[in-house]
Amino acid sequence: MVTRVSSRTLRPGRRPRTLLASGAAALALTAGAVVPGNPLAPAPSEARADDGKTTLTLTVAVAQSVDSLSPFLAQRLLSTSIHRLMYDYLTNYDAKDNKAIPGLATAWEPSADKLTWTYTIRPDSKWSDGQQATAEDAAWTFNKMMTDEGAATSNGSFVGNFEKVTAPTKDTLVIQLREPQATMAALDVPIVPKHVWEKVEDFAKFNNDKDFPVVGNGPFILTDYKVDSYVKLKANKDFWRGSPRFDELVFRYYKDQDAAVAALRKGEVSFVAGSPSLTPAQSASLENAPDIKVNDAPGRRFFALAVNPGARTKDGKKFGDGHPALLDQKVRHALFMAVDRKTIIDKVFQGHAVEGEGYIPPRFSDYFWKPSDGQKLAYDPAKAAALLDEAGYRKNSAGKRVGKDGKPLDFRILCHATDPNDKAIGKYLQEWWGEQGIGLKVDCLDNVSDPWYAGEYDLAFDGWSVNPDPDFVLSIHTCAALPSKAKESAATDNFICDKQYDELYKKQLAEYDPAKRADLVRQLESRLYDTGYMNVMAYPNAVEAYRTDHIKSITTMPAAAGNIYGQDGYWSWWSAVPAAGASSSSSSDSGGSSTGVLVGVGIAVVVLAGGGLLFAMRRRSTAEDRE
């Protein structure tokens, strides 16, 4: 769903041997070490008081709330981004070129038949409670996902082909496959501590949000959380890659994106991510603002219309109330041909996006696909009208489309109340489809997840952040991703189940040759396009902003021109360097809350909405940015 997304993590260590180059063309299965001279490594930390009470806090304004703090359940971008900070993954993506590099694993190697993969687990990763992270933790994580349906909710597609996972030694992980799997260096699964999580009784219900601090081994440790208000983390001083420069990282929720932008102007927050991006008007208003930098770069997301194809469970039980007319491919195609994508790019995104075509954004060039001229569902109102006539929905004397039963053709579309793009495009759709004689109700809700999972919608504004390896976003349209029970949370995006698509998906997953796999992925995109269940309208830029008097430098991904928020890793927040002369606060934690007496001038103390929790923000002197 528009707010739902998957994202994942990374690390260095000893220089490992080069391994088999296979899988995605953009994701070379090679392991490389991050050496001290790496520009991603943080600068030497400033001196801190021996009592540990001097802190520097980086506050990020977000327009999305957390769906779950359990890495087994989370699907929203904010939640999965937080998990990248909390837990290590076997491998990560290099911020420079998206290649696989060491994470919890320092090396990985397949057997000759590529059905057995052996990972060497680093010896210098510790859980935040002091215990060593071992191969047993990784084996337990994967086995739990293989045997517990609740634990497989978010990332089950990665282990669906696993035959057996073992940890013969504390630094050796062995994964045996049923068939070759090209994503073995891109298993975007947070590894959790066995000694903590083995106590969980129901993985489908446990949200990991009651006991703080939460035990992890990533660059940050989760210390506090309040629903629809804030998430607070502290730097992990023992993180093997090195401690982050900021002592605290706070994600603060703003339902009103304009309010978040205003908070950035005032210095109450250091960074604004948007929902998921700033609007053109907001970014324009910040372009020449003092001490503020706007980052506008090609994004990793797509913005789409998703059609309810008829909600169903894995065993075929139907539920929900999707409009039956949308089961007709001609109707779906007609709707898409009545959408003027160019107007959406020009008027809504105002040039801060690229017109949508295939499922994978052009940023990932190896997998980017365009429909052929004869295949393209281009804007053509006349052809759209003809298709509707052919489908049996003709206009009556009042200009309203009606079916053979005499009922008017009216649809509902799910809209995210916090996303201004949804609302703006919804108005255009009402106009364009209205000219076709179709009625449209735009349901803008704070929580679209409940009606979505219940199948109680006709269409919905949809979008995902795509990983360098596209397997995950492709897997959410397979029959295997459907829920086991009606109205349950599941990996599926919008209940698509197409045999031809599934066959292509299995082929790409088993193909190690990068070029051949990329071709299969493009065939998958072509099939998805032809079915008419997904209409990708735009590839929005990542438009975000931060205060240069709070943050001296921060890493984008890719480094040349990429995003800061929602990366395929933890690079941005881990690498962020406080601006020179930044004030520090003296704070004390009690029961997860924090209050502080600030040192320096230009202080702003902010009350979190609904949280009743005070956080002190420091204004810092201007420093040049590293870009």
Side-chain angles (χ1 to χ4, degrees), residues 468-548:
D469 188 296
D471 179 75
F472 178 82
V473 292
L474 297 173
S475 73
I476 59 178
H477 296 305
T478 61
C479 299
L482 293 173
S484 297
K485 297 180 181 178
K487 301 185 179 183
E488 269 193 349
S489 174
T492 188
D493 181 26
N494 61 321
F495 304 103
I496 294 174
C497 180
D498 177 73
K499 290 184 178 180
Q500 186 173 332
Y501 181 92
D502 274 19
E503 290 173 1
L504 287 168
Y505 174 78
K506 290 178 181 178
K507 287 181 180 179
Q508 68 82 28
L509 185 61
E511 181 55 69
Y512 282 96
D513 182 272
K516 291 180 180 179
R517 184 177 179 223
D519 181 63
L520 288 167
V521 168
R522 289 190 289 270
Q523 290 181 47
L524 270 169
E525 295 180 78
S526 178
R527 177 60 183 170
L528 192 59
Y529 185 91
D530 287 343
T531 61
Y533 291 122
M534 292 290 294
N535 174 20
V536 177
M537 296 185 289
Y539 308 114
N541 287 2
V543 187
E544 50 204 358
Y546 64 91
R547 294 198 63 92
T548 56

Coordinates of all heavy atoms in Angstrom, one line a residue, residues 468-548:
P468 N 17.4 -2.4 -4.4 CA 18.3 -2.7 -5.5 C 18.0 -4.1 -6.1 O 18.1 -4.2 -7.4 CB 19.7 -2.6 -4.9 CG 19.5 -1.6 -3.8 CD 18.1 -1.9 -3.2
D469 N 17.7 -5.0 -5.3 CA 17.2 -6.3 -5.9 C 15.7 -6.3 -5.8 O 15.1 -6.1 -4.7 CB 17.8 -7.5 -5.1 CG 17.4 -8.8 -5.7 OD1 16.2 -9.1 -5.8 OD2 18.3 -9.5 -6.1
P470 N 15.0 -6.4 -6.9 CA 13.5 -6.2 -6.9 C 12.7 -7.3 -6.5 O 11.5 -7.2 -6.5 CB 13.3 -5.9 -8.4 CG 14.3 -6.7 -9.1 CD 15.5 -6.7 -8.3
D471 N 13.3 -8.4 -6.0 CA 12.5 -9.6 -5.7 C 11.4 -9.3 -4.7 O 10.3 -9.8 -4.9 CB 13.5 -10.6 -5.1 CG 12.7 -11.9 -4.7 OD1 12.3 -12.7 -5.6 OD2 12.4 -12.1 -3.5
F472 N 11.6 -8.5 -3.7 CA 10.5 -8.4 -2.7 C 9.3 -7.7 -3.3 O 8.2 -8.2 -3.1 CB 11.0 -7.5 -1.5 CG 9.9 -7.3 -0.5 CD1 9.6 -8.2 0.5 CD2 9.2 -6.1 -0.5 CE1 8.6 -8.0 1.4 CE2 8.1 -5.9 0.4 CZ 7.8 -6.9 1.3
V473 N 9.4 -6.6 -4.0 CA 8.3 -5.9 -4.6 C 7.6 -6.7 -5.7 O 6.4 -6.5 -6.0 CB 8.6 -4.5 -5.1 CG1 8.9 -3.6 -3.9 CG2 9.7 -4.5 -6.1
L474 N 8.3 -7.7 -6.2 CA 7.7 -8.6 -7.2 C 7.0 -9.7 -6.5 O 5.9 -10.1 -6.9 CB 8.8 -9.2 -8.1 CG 9.6 -8.3 -9.0 CD1 10.7 -9.0 -9.7 CD2 8.7 -7.6 -10.0
S475 N 7.5 -10.1 -5.3 CA 6.9 -11.2 -4.6 C 5.5 -10.9 -4.0 O 4.7 -11.8 -3.8 CB 7.8 -11.7 -3.5 OG 7.8 -10.8 -2.4
I476 N 5.2 -9.6 -3.8 CA 4.0 -9.3 -3.1 C 2.8 -9.4 -4.1 O 1.6 -9.2 -3.7 CB 4.0 -7.8 -2.6 CG1 4.3 -6.8 -3.7 CG2 5.0 -7.7 -1.5 CD1 4.3 -5.4 -3.2
H477 N 3.0 -9.7 -5.4 CA 1.9 -9.9 -6.3 C 1.8 -11.4 -6.7 O 1.1 -11.8 -7.6 CB 2.1 -9.1 -7.6 CG 2.1 -7.6 -7.3 ND1 1.1 -7.0 -6.7 CD2 3.0 -6.7 -7.6 CE1 1.3 -5.7 -6.6 NE2 2.5 -5.5 -7.1
T478 N 2.4 -12.3 -5.9 CA 2.3 -13.7 -6.2 C 1.1 -14.3 -5.4 O 0.7 -13.8 -4.4 CB 3.6 -14.5 -5.8 OG1 3.8 -14.3 -4.4 CG2 4.8 -13.9 -6.6
C479 N 0.7 -15.5 -5.8 CA -0.4 -16.2 -5.1 C 0.0 -16.6 -3.7 O -0.8 -16.6 -2.8 CB -0.8 -17.4 -5.9 SG -1.5 -17.1 -7.5
A480 N 1.3 -16.8 -3.5 CA 1.8 -17.2 -2.2 C 1.7 -16.1 -1.2 O 1.8 -16.4 0.0 CB 3.3 -17.7 -2.3
A481 N 1.6 -14.9 -1.6 CA 1.5 -13.7 -0.7 C 0.1 -13.5 -0.2 O 0.0 -12.6 0.7 CB 2.1 -12.5 -1.4
L482 N -0.9 -14.2 -0.7 CA -2.2 -14.0 -0.3 C -2.4 -14.4 1.2 O -1.6 -15.2 1.7 CB -3.2 -14.8 -1.1 CG -3.4 -14.4 -2.6 CD1 -4.2 -15.5 -3.3 CD2 -4.0 -13.0 -2.7
P483 N -3.3 -13.8 1.9 CA -3.5 -14.1 3.3 C -4.1 -15.6 3.5 O -4.8 -16.1 2.6 CB -4.6 -13.1 3.8 CG -5.3 -12.8 2.5 CD -4.3 -12.8 1.4
S484 N -3.8 -16.2 4.6 CA -4.3 -17.5 4.9 C -5.8 -17.4 5.3 O -6.5 -18.3 5.1 CB -3.5 -18.2 6.0 OG -2.1 -18.4 5.5
K485 N -6.1 -16.3 6.0 CA -7.4 -16.1 6.5 C -7.9 -14.7 6.0 O -7.1 -13.8 5.8 CB -7.5 -16.1 8.0 CG -7.1 -17.5 8.6 CD -7.2 -17.5 10.1 CE -6.8 -18.8 10.7 NZ -6.8 -18.8 12.2
A486 N -9.2 -14.6 5.8 CA -9.8 -13.4 5.4 C -9.5 -12.2 6.3 O -9.6 -12.4 7.5 CB -11.3 -13.5 5.2
K487 N -9.2 -11.1 5.7 CA -9.0 -9.8 6.5 C -7.7 -9.8 7.3 O -7.5 -8.9 8.2 CB -10.2 -9.5 7.3 CG -11.5 -9.3 6.5 CD -12.6 -8.8 7.4 CE -13.9 -8.6 6.5 NZ -15.0 -8.1 7.3
E488 N -6.9 -10.9 7.2 CA -5.6 -10.9 8.0 C -4.5 -10.1 7.3 O -4.5 -10.0 6.0 CB -5.1 -12.4 8.1 CG -5.6 -13.0 9.3 CD -4.9 -14.3 9.6 OE1 -4.1 -14.8 8.7 OE2 -5.0 -14.9 10.7
S489 N -3.6 -9.6 8.1 CA -2.4 -9.0 7.5 C -1.6 -10.0 6.7 O -1.5 -11.2 7.2 CB -1.6 -8.4 8.6 OG -0.4 -7.9 8.1
A490 N -1.1 -9.6 5.6 CA -0.4 -10.6 4.8 C 0.6 -9.8 3.9 O 0.7 -8.6 3.9 CB -1.3 -11.4 3.9
A491 N 1.5 -10.6 3.2 CA 2.5 -10.0 2.4 C 1.9 -9.4 1.1 O 2.6 -8.6 0.4 CB 3.6 -11.0 2.1
T492 N 0.7 -9.8 0.7 CA 0.2 -9.3 -0.6 C 0.0 -7.8 -0.6 O -0.3 -7.2 0.5 CB -1.2 -10.0 -0.8 OG1 -1.6 -9.7 -2.1 CG2 -2.3 -9.6 0.2
D493 N 0.1 -7.3 -1.8 CA -0.2 -5.8 -1.9 C -1.7 -5.6 -2.1 O -2.4 -5.0 -1.3 CB 0.6 -5.2 -3.1 CG 0.4 -3.8 -3.2 OD1 0.0 -3.1 -2.2 OD2 0.6 -3.2 -4.3
N494 N -2.2 -6.1 -3.3 CA -3.6 -5.9 -3.5 C -4.3 -7.2 -4.1 O -5.1 -7.2 -5.0 CB -3.9 -4.7 -4.5 CG -3.2 -4.9 -5.8 OD1 -2.1 -5.4 -5.9 ND2 -3.8 -4.4 -6.9
F495 N -3.9 -8.4 -3.5 CA -4.6 -9.6 -3.8 C -4.5 -10.2 -5.2 O -5.3 -11.0 -5.6 CB -6.1 -9.5 -3.4 CG -6.4 -9.0 -2.0 CD1 -6.8 -7.7 -1.8 CD2 -6.2 -9.9 -0.9 CE1 -7.0 -7.3 -0.5 CE2 -6.5 -9.5 0.4 CZ -6.9 -8.2 0.6
I496 N -3.4 -9.8 -5.9 CA -3.2 -10.3 -7.3 C -2.8 -11.7 -7.2 O -1.9 -12.1 -6.3 CB -2.2 -9.5 -8.0 CG1 -2.7 -8.0 -8.3 CG2 -1.8 -10.1 -9.3 CD1 -1.7 -7.1 -8.9
C497 N -3.3 -12.6 -8.0 CA -2.9 -14.0 -8.1 C -3.1 -14.4 -9.5 O -4.2 -14.7 -10.0 CB -3.8 -14.9 -7.1 SG -3.4 -16.6 -7.2
D498 N -2.0 -14.5 -10.3 CA -2.0 -14.8 -11.7 C -1.0 -15.9 -12.0 O 0.2 -15.7 -11.7 CB -1.7 -13.5 -12.5 CG -1.6 -13.7 -14.0 OD1 -2.7 -13.9 -14.6 OD2 -0.5 -13.7 -14.5
K499 N -1.4 -17.0 -12.5 CA -0.5 -18.1 -12.8 C 0.6 -17.8 -13.7 O 1.8 -18.2 -13.4 CB -1.3 -19.3 -13.3 CG -2.3 -19.9 -12.3 CD -3.0 -21.2 -12.9 CE -3.9 -21.8 -11.9 NZ -4.6 -23.0 -12.5
Q500 N 0.4 -17.1 -14.7 CA 1.5 -16.7 -15.6 C 2.5 -15.8 -14.9 O 3.7 -16.0 -15.1 CB 0.9 -16.0 -16.9 CG 1.9 -15.7 -17.9 CD 1.3 -15.1 -19.2 OE1 0.1 -15.3 -19.5 NE2 2.1 -14.3 -20.0
Y501 N 2.1 -14.9 -14.1 CA 3.0 -14.1 -13.4 C 3.8 -14.9 -12.4 O 5.0 -14.8 -12.3 CB 2.2 -13.0 -12.6 CG 3.0 -12.1 -11.8 CD1 3.5 -10.9 -12.3 CD2 3.4 -12.4 -10.5 CE1 4.2 -10.0 -11.5 CE2 4.2 -11.5 -9.7 CZ 4.6 -10.3 -10.2 OH 5.4 -9.5 -9.5
D502 N 3.1 -15.9 -11.7 CA 3.8 -16.7 -10.8 C 4.9 -17.6 -11.4 O 6.0 -17.8 -10.9 CB 2.8 -17.7 -10.1 CG 2.2 -17.0 -8.8 OD1 2.2 -15.8 -8.8 OD2 1.7 -17.7 -8.0
E503 N 4.7 -18.1 -12.6 CA 5.6 -18.9 -13.3 C 6.9 -18.0 -13.7 O 8.0 -18.5 -13.5 CB 5.0 -19.4 -14.6 CG 4.0 -20.5 -14.4 CD 3.3 -20.9 -15.6 OE1 3.6 -20.4 -16.7 OE2 2.4 -21.8 -15.5
L504 N 6.7 -16.8 -14.1 CA 7.8 -15.9 -14.4 C 8.6 -15.5 -13.2 O 9.8 -15.5 -13.2 CB 7.3 -14.6 -15.1 CG 6.8 -14.8 -16.6 CD1 6.1 -13.5 -17.0 CD2 8.0 -15.1 -17.5
Y505 N 7.8 -15.4 -12.1 CA 8.5 -15.0 -10.8 C 9.4 -16.1 -10.4 O 10.6 -15.9 -10.0 CB 7.4 -14.7 -9.7 CG 8.1 -14.5 -8.4 CD1 8.7 -13.3 -8.0 CD2 8.1 -15.6 -7.4 CE1 9.3 -13.1 -6.8 CE2 8.7 -15.4 -6.2 CZ 9.3 -14.2 -5.9 OH 9.9 -14.0 -4.7
K506 N 9.0 -17.4 -10.5 CA 9.8 -18.5 -10.0 C 11.0 -18.6 -10.9 O 12.1 -18.9 -10.4 CB 9.0 -19.8 -10.1 CG 7.9 -19.9 -9.0 CD 7.1 -21.1 -9.1 CE 6.0 -21.2 -8.1 NZ 5.2 -22.4 -8.2
K507 N 10.9 -18.3 -12.2 CA 12.0 -18.4 -13.1 C 13.1 -17.4 -12.8 O 14.3 -17.6 -12.8 CB 11.6 -18.2 -14.6 CG 10.8 -19.4 -15.1 CD 10.4 -19.2 -16.6 CE 9.6 -20.4 -17.2 NZ 9.2 -20.1 -18.6
Q508 N 12.6 -16.1 -12.5 CA 13.6 -15.1 -12.2 C 14.3 -15.3 -10.9 O 15.5 -15.0 -10.8 CB 13.0 -13.7 -12.2 CG 12.0 -13.4 -11.1 CD 12.6 -13.0 -9.8 OE1 13.7 -12.4 -9.8 NE2 12.0 -13.3 -8.7
L509 N 13.6 -15.9 -10.0 CA 14.2 -16.2 -8.7 C 15.3 -17.2 -8.8 O 16.3 -17.2 -8.0 CB 13.1 -16.7 -7.7 CG 13.6 -16.9 -6.2 CD1 14.1 -15.6 -5.6 CD2 12.4 -17.5 -5.4
A510 N 15.2 -18.2 -9.7 CA 16.1 -19.3 -9.9 C 17.3 -19.0 -10.9 O 18.2 -19.8 -11.0 CB 15.4 -20.5 -10.3
E511 N 17.2 -17.8 -11.5 CA 18.2 -17.5 -12.5 C 19.4 -16.7 -12.0 O 19.2 -15.6 -11.5 CB 17.5 -16.6 -13.6 CG 18.4 -16.3 -14.8 CD 19.1 -17.5 -15.4 OE1 18.4 -18.3 -16.1 OE2 20.3 -17.6 -15.3
Y512 N 20.6 -17.2 -12.1 CA 21.8 -16.6 -11.5 C 22.4 -15.7 -12.6 O 23.2 -14.8 -12.2 CB 22.8 -17.6 -11.1 CG 22.4 -18.2 -9.7 CD1 21.8 -19.4 -9.6 CD2 22.8 -17.6 -8.5 CE1 21.5 -20.0 -8.4 CE2 22.5 -18.1 -7.3 CZ 21.8 -19.3 -7.2 OH 21.5 -19.8 -6.0
D513 N 22.2 -15.9 -13.8 CA 22.8 -15.1 -14.8 C 22.1 -13.7 -14.8 O 20.9 -13.6 -15.0 CB 22.6 -15.7 -16.2 CG 23.3 -14.8 -17.3 OD1 22.6 -13.9 -17.8 OD2 24.5 -15.1 -17.6
P514 N 22.9 -12.6 -14.5 CA 22.3 -11.3 -14.3 C 21.5 -10.8 -15.5 O 20.4 -10.3 -15.3 CB 23.5 -10.4 -14.1 CG 24.6 -11.3 -13.5 CD 24.4 -12.6 -14.2
A515 N 22.0 -11.0 -16.7 CA 21.3 -10.5 -17.9 C 20.0 -11.3 -18.1 O 19.0 -10.7 -18.4 CB 22.2 -10.6 -19.1
K516 N 20.1 -12.6 -17.9 CA 18.9 -13.4 -18.1 C 17.8 -13.1 -17.1 O 16.6 -13.1 -17.3 CB 19.2 -14.9 -18.1 CG 20.1 -15.3 -19.3 CD 20.4 -16.8 -19.2 CE 21.2 -17.3 -20.5 NZ 21.6 -18.7 -20.4
R517 N 18.3 -12.9 -15.8 CA 17.4 -12.6 -14.8 C 16.7 -11.3 -15.0 O 15.5 -11.1 -14.8 CB 18.1 -12.6 -13.4 CG 17.1 -12.4 -12.3 CD 17.7 -12.4 -10.9 NE 16.7 -12.2 -9.9 CZ 16.8 -11.4 -8.8 NH1 18.0 -10.8 -8.6 NH2 15.9 -11.3 -8.0
A518 N 17.5 -10.3 -15.4 CA 16.9 -8.9 -15.7 C 15.8 -9.0 -16.8 O 14.8 -8.3 -16.7 CB 18.0 -8.0 -16.1
D519 N 16.1 -9.9 -17.8 CA 15.1 -10.0 -18.9 C 13.8 -10.6 -18.3 O 12.7 -10.2 -18.7 CB 15.6 -10.9 -20.0 CG 14.7 -11.1 -21.1 OD1 14.3 -10.1 -21.8 OD2 14.2 -12.3 -21.3
L520 N 13.9 -11.6 -17.4 CA 12.7 -12.2 -16.8 C 12.0 -11.2 -15.9 O 10.7 -11.2 -15.9 CB 13.1 -13.4 -16.0 CG 13.6 -14.7 -16.8 CD1 14.3 -15.7 -15.9 CD2 12.3 -15.3 -17.5
V521 N 12.7 -10.4 -15.2 CA 12.1 -9.3 -14.4 C 11.3 -8.4 -15.3 O 10.1 -8.0 -15.0 CB 13.1 -8.6 -13.6 CG1 12.5 -7.3 -13.0 CG2 13.7 -9.5 -12.5
R522 N 11.8 -8.0 -16.4 CA 11.1 -7.2 -17.4 C 9.9 -7.8 -17.9 O 8.8 -7.2 -18.2 CB 12.0 -6.7 -18.5 CG 13.1 -5.7 -18.0 CD 13.9 -5.1 -19.1 NE 14.7 -6.0 -19.8 CZ 16.0 -6.2 -19.5 NH1 16.6 -5.6 -18.5 NH2 16.7 -7.1 -20.2
Q523 N 9.9 -9.2 -18.1 CA 8.8 -9.9 -18.6 C 7.7 -9.9 -17.5 O 6.5 -9.8 -17.8 CB 9.1 -11.4 -18.9 CG 10.0 -11.5 -20.2 CD 10.3 -13.0 -20.5 OE1 9.4 -13.8 -20.4 NE2 11.5 -13.3 -20.8
L524 N 8.1 -10.0 -16.2 CA 7.2 -9.9 -15.1 C 6.4 -8.5 -15.1 O 5.2 -8.4 -14.9 CB 7.9 -10.0 -13.8 CG 8.1 -11.4 -13.2 CD1 9.1 -11.4 -12.1 CD2 6.7 -12.0 -12.8
E525 N 7.2 -7.5 -15.3 CA 6.6 -6.1 -15.4 C 5.6 -6.0 -16.5 O 4.6 -5.4 -16.4 CB 7.7 -5.1 -15.5 CG 8.7 -5.0 -14.3 CD 9.7 -3.9 -14.5 OE1 9.4 -2.8 -14.4 OE2 10.9 -4.3 -14.9
S526 N 6.0 -6.6 -17.7 CA 5.1 -6.6 -18.8 C 3.8 -7.3 -18.5 O 2.7 -6.8 -18.9 CB 5.8 -7.2 -20.0 OG 4.9 -7.3 -21.2
R527 N 3.9 -8.4 -17.9 CA 2.7 -9.2 -17.5 C 1.8 -8.4 -16.5 O 0.6 -8.3 -16.7 CB 3.0 -10.5 -16.9 CG 1.8 -11.4 -16.4 CD 0.9 -11.7 -17.6 NE -0.3 -12.4 -17.1 CZ -1.4 -12.6 -17.8 NH1 -1.4 -12.2 -19.1 NH2 -2.4 -13.3 -17.3
L528 N 2.4 -7.8 -15.5 CA 1.7 -7.0 -14.5 C 1.0 -5.8 -15.2 O -0.1 -5.5 -14.9 CB 2.7 -6.6 -13.5 CG 2.1 -6.0 -12.2 CD1 1.2 -7.0 -11.5 CD2 3.2 -5.5 -11.2
Y529 N 1.7 -5.2 -16.2 CA 1.1 -4.1 -16.9 C -0.1 -4.5 -17.7 O -1.2 -3.9 -17.7 CB 2.2 -3.5 -17.8 CG 1.8 -2.3 -18.5 CD1 2.1 -1.0 -18.0 CD2 1.2 -2.3 -19.8 CE1 1.7 0.2 -18.7 CE2 0.9 -1.2 -20.5 CZ 1.2 0.1 -19.9 OH 0.8 1.2 -20.6
D530 N 0.0 -5.7 -18.4 CA -1.1 -6.1 -19.3 C -2.3 -6.5 -18.5 O -3.4 -6.4 -19.0 CB -0.6 -7.3 -20.1 CG 0.4 -6.9 -21.2 OD1 0.4 -5.7 -21.5 OD2 1.1 -7.8 -21.7
T531 N -2.1 -7.1 -17.3 CA -3.3 -7.5 -16.5 C -4.1 -6.3 -16.1 O -5.4 -6.4 -15.9 CB -2.9 -8.3 -15.2 OG1 -2.1 -7.4 -14.4 CG2 -2.2 -9.5 -15.6
G532 N -3.5 -5.1 -16.0 CA -4.2 -3.9 -15.7 C -4.6 -3.8 -14.2 O -5.4 -2.9 -13.8
Y533 N -3.9 -4.5 -13.3 CA -4.2 -4.4 -11.9 C -3.4 -3.3 -11.2 O -3.7 -2.8 -10.2 CB -3.9 -5.7 -11.2 CG -4.9 -6.8 -11.5 CD1 -4.5 -8.0 -12.1 CD2 -6.3 -6.6 -11.3 CE1 -5.4 -9.0 -12.4 CE2 -7.2 -7.6 -11.7 CZ -6.7 -8.8 -12.2 OH -7.6 -9.8 -12.5
M534 N -2.3 -2.9 -11.9 CA -1.4 -1.9 -11.4 C -1.1 -0.8 -12.4 O -0.7 -1.2 -13.5 CB -0.1 -2.5 -10.9 CG -0.2 -3.4 -9.7 SD -0.6 -2.4 -8.2 CE 0.9 -1.5 -8.0
N535 N -1.4 0.4 -12.2 CA -1.2 1.5 -13.1 C -0.1 2.4 -12.5 O -0.5 3.2 -11.6 CB -2.5 2.2 -13.4 CG -2.2 3.5 -14.3 OD1 -1.2 3.6 -15.0 ND2 -3.2 4.4 -14.3
V536 N 1.1 2.3 -12.9 CA 2.2 3.1 -12.3 C 2.1 4.5 -13.0 O 2.4 4.6 -14.2 CB 3.6 2.5 -12.5 CG1 4.7 3.4 -12.0 CG2 3.6 1.2 -11.8
M537 N 1.7 5.5 -12.3 CA 1.5 6.8 -12.9 C 2.8 7.7 -12.8 O 2.9 8.6 -13.7 CB 0.4 7.5 -12.2 CG -1.0 6.8 -12.3 SD -2.3 7.8 -11.6 CE -2.0 7.6 -9.9
A538 N 3.6 7.5 -11.8 CA 4.8 8.4 -11.7 C 5.9 7.7 -10.9 O 5.6 6.9 -10.1 CB 4.3 9.7 -11.0
Y539 N 7.1 8.2 -11.1 CA 8.2 7.9 -10.2 C 8.6 9.2 -9.6 O 9.4 10.0 -10.1 CB 9.4 7.3 -11.1 CG 9.0 6.2 -12.0 CD1 9.1 6.4 -13.4 CD2 8.6 5.0 -11.5 CE1 8.8 5.3 -14.2 CE2 8.3 3.9 -12.4 CZ 8.4 4.1 -13.7 OH 8.1 3.1 -14.6
P540 N 8.1 9.5 -8.4 CA 8.4 10.7 -7.7 C 9.9 10.9 -7.3 O 10.6 9.9 -6.9 CB 7.5 10.7 -6.5 CG 6.5 9.6 -6.7 CD 7.2 8.6 -7.6
N541 N 10.4 12.1 -7.3 CA 11.7 12.3 -6.8 C 11.7 12.2 -5.3 O 10.6 12.4 -4.7 CB 12.2 13.8 -7.2 CG 12.6 13.9 -8.6 OD1 12.5 12.9 -9.4 ND2 13.0 15.1 -9.0
A542 N 12.9 12.0 -4.7 CA 13.0 12.1 -3.2 C 13.2 13.6 -2.9 O 14.3 14.1 -3.2 CB 14.1 11.2 -2.8
V543 N 12.2 14.2 -2.4 CA 12.4 15.7 -2.1 C 12.3 15.8 -0.6 O 11.2 15.5 0.0 CB 11.3 16.5 -2.8 CG1 11.5 18.0 -2.6 CG2 11.2 16.2 -4.3
E544 N 13.3 16.2 0.0 CA 13.4 16.3 1.5 C 14.3 17.5 1.8 O 15.0 18.1 1.0 CB 14.0 15.0 2.0 CG 15.3 14.6 1.3 CD 15.6 13.1 1.3 OE1 14.8 12.3 2.0 OE2 16.6 12.7 0.7
A545 N 14.4 17.8 3.1 CA 15.2 19.0 3.5 C 15.7 18.8 4.9 O 15.1 18.1 5.7 CB 14.3 20.3 3.4
Y546 N 16.9 19.5 5.1 CA 17.5 19.5 6.5 C 18.1 20.8 6.8 O 18.5 21.6 5.9 CB 18.4 18.3 6.6 CG 19.7 18.3 5.7 CD1 20.8 18.9 6.2 CD2 19.6 17.8 4.5 CE1 22.0 18.9 5.4 CE2 20.8 17.8 3.7 CZ 21.9 18.4 4.1 OH 23.1 18.4 3.3
R547 N 18.4 21.0 8.1 CA 19.0 22.2 8.5 C 20.5 22.0 8.5 O 21.1 21.1 9.2 CB 18.6 22.6 9.9 CG 17.1 23.0 10.0 CD 16.8 23.7 11.3 NE 17.5 25.0 11.3 CZ 17.1 26.2 10.9 NH1 15.9 26.2 10.4 NH2 17.8 27.2 11.0
T548 N 21.2 22.9 7.8 CA 22.7 22.8 7.8 C 23.4 23.3 9.0 O 24.6 23.1 9.2 CB 23.2 23.6 6.6 OG1 22.7 25.0 6.7 CG2 22.7 23.0 5.3

